[in-house]
Amino acid sequence: YMKILIITSKNYFIRICSLLSLSFILFGCQINFNADLYSSDLISLGNHSEEQNISLPMTIEFQVADCDDLSSQNRIFSTYFSEYEFVGCDVSSEDFMSYVEARVSTSVTNRTEISDLVGFQVDRSDDNRYIYVYVAINENSFKDLKEYVYNETFQELSLSDSKFSVNFINDSGNTTVWIQSSFVDRKPIVYQTDFEIKKRDKMKIQLSDVVKLHLEENSWAPLLIIANE
């Protein structure tokens, strides 16, 4: 009876350890993005006839099993951005998982492709009345990162598990902005909605699950429209 109890206890311990290990794997696939976008940059690029890029800072967070040795993770993630600076690693108060925080450099461009893992594209409407702004991912870079995450965690990396937010800052004059299917200052927006934005005002836009899925499947997704005044 004692032998059976010991074996049962041992098997139970192994199962618990396996579940704990699996939990680290399951929660090791989330990447969060947060960037600042200025209206003057977007309008200037949209109205420029030649291809141009403007670098801008972005903060990223990605989950890790623990904060002990991060040299490999930092090395890998640094290859997906033109600039990468490790900030720190801490446990989140929301999900109690360990996150690495880093400052990276990405770009907003009027070209059709981006060089970093994520970035932003602008385009002007045919009648010159609007500036369309899109969030975009580099298809090849994202594919490579998904392979790396899968090899390390045996889990698929999906943007649907991530948070993607933008701080839109109006440093131009009073203008109108149209946003669809997002959270604007934490309020859900389903249909395309217009906002009158005064100079120096800002709003926080967080992509909805639908937009993130479109971004992952098509490498681009609509973010906002600005009146080209």
Side-chain angles (χ1 to χ4, degrees):
Y1 175 79
M2 182 64 68
K3 184 176 180 182
I4 295 175
L5 179 62
I6 292 174
I7 293 175
T8 304
S9 300
K10 183 178 179 182
N11 291 338
Y12 179 77
F13 178 74
I14 293 174
R15 288 177 63 188
I16 291 294
C17 290
S18 299
L19 288 173
L20 288 173
S21 299
L22 181 59
S23 69
F24 283 126
I25 292 175
L26 289 174
F27 287 100
C29 304
Q30 182 172 331
I31 307 175
N32 301 326
F33 307 89
N34 184 59
D36 293 339
L37 284 181
Y38 292 85
S39 60
S40 61
D41 292 338
L42 303 174
I43 294 172
S44 175
L45 281 172
N47 288 302
H48 208 282
S49 58
E50 297 179 357
E51 293 186 348
Q52 279 192 338
N53 298 318
I54 296 177
S55 296
L56 70 153
M58 172 182 280
T59 301
I60 66 169
E61 296 177 335
F62 56 90
Q63 288 178 340
V64 290
D66 56 63
C67 295
D68 291 340
D69 183 9
L70 302 171
S71 56
S72 176
Q73 291 93 329
N74 282 323
R75 178 182 58 82
I76 292 296
F77 273 85
S78 67
T79 62
Y80 293 105
F81 298 93
S82 52
E83 295 180 15
Y84 179 95
E85 178 186 0
F86 171 74
V87 174
C89 181
D90 204 354
V91 177
S92 170
S93 60
E94 295 183 4
D95 56 15
F96 304 104
M97 297 302 300
S98 298
Y99 283 84
V100 168
E101 180 180 351
R103 295 191 188 96
V104 301
S105 177
T106 186
S107 63
V108 53
T109 180
N110 57 4
R111 300 171 56 211
T112 56
E113 295 182 357
I114 60 170
S115 56
D116 296 297
L117 176 65
V118 298
F120 302 90
Q121 297 170 315
V122 297
D123 191 20
R124 186 176 60 186
S125 63
D126 293 337
D127 59 7
N128 300 331
R129 296 176 57 191
Y130 306 103
I131 301 295
Y132 297 101
V133 184
Y134 307 92
V135 58
I137 58 176
N138 184 296
E139 186 175 357
N140 292 330
S141 295
F142 187 66
K143 180 180 178 181
D144 291 342
L145 182 58
K146 288 185 68 172
E147 290 180 358
Y148 166 74
V149 170
Y150 184 80
N151 291 334
E152 292 293 317
T153 67
F154 304 105
Q155 295 293 314
E156 292 286 346
L157 172 64
S158 174
L159 292 180
S160 62
D161 300 322
S162 302
K163 296 178 182 177
F164 203 123
S165 58
V166 172
N167 300 309
F168 176 75
I169 302 164
N170 181 26
D171 58 341
S172 308
N174 297 350
T175 188
T176 304
V177 175
W178 291 266
I179 301 174
Q180 59 185 6
S181 189
S182 298
F183 293 91
V184 178
D185 294 331
R186 297 185 178 182
K187 295 180 180 179
I189 302 299
V190 178
Y191 303 105
Q192 181 170 290
T193 305
D194 60 290
F195 296 86
E196 299 295 328
I197 308 296
K198 296 181 180 180
K199 187 175 183 179
R200 299 186 182 89
D201 280 355
K202 65 179 180 180
M203 61 171 56
K204 185 168 186 176
I205 306 168
Q206 185 171 319
L207 302 188
S208 67
D209 289 344
V210 172
V211 174
K212 288 185 294 184
L213 183 59
H214 188 281
L215 174 62
E216 183 171 342
E217 293 184 350
N218 300 279
S219 300
W220 68 273
L223 180 64
L224 56 87
I225 304 171
I226 308 175
N228 189 25
E229 300 172 336

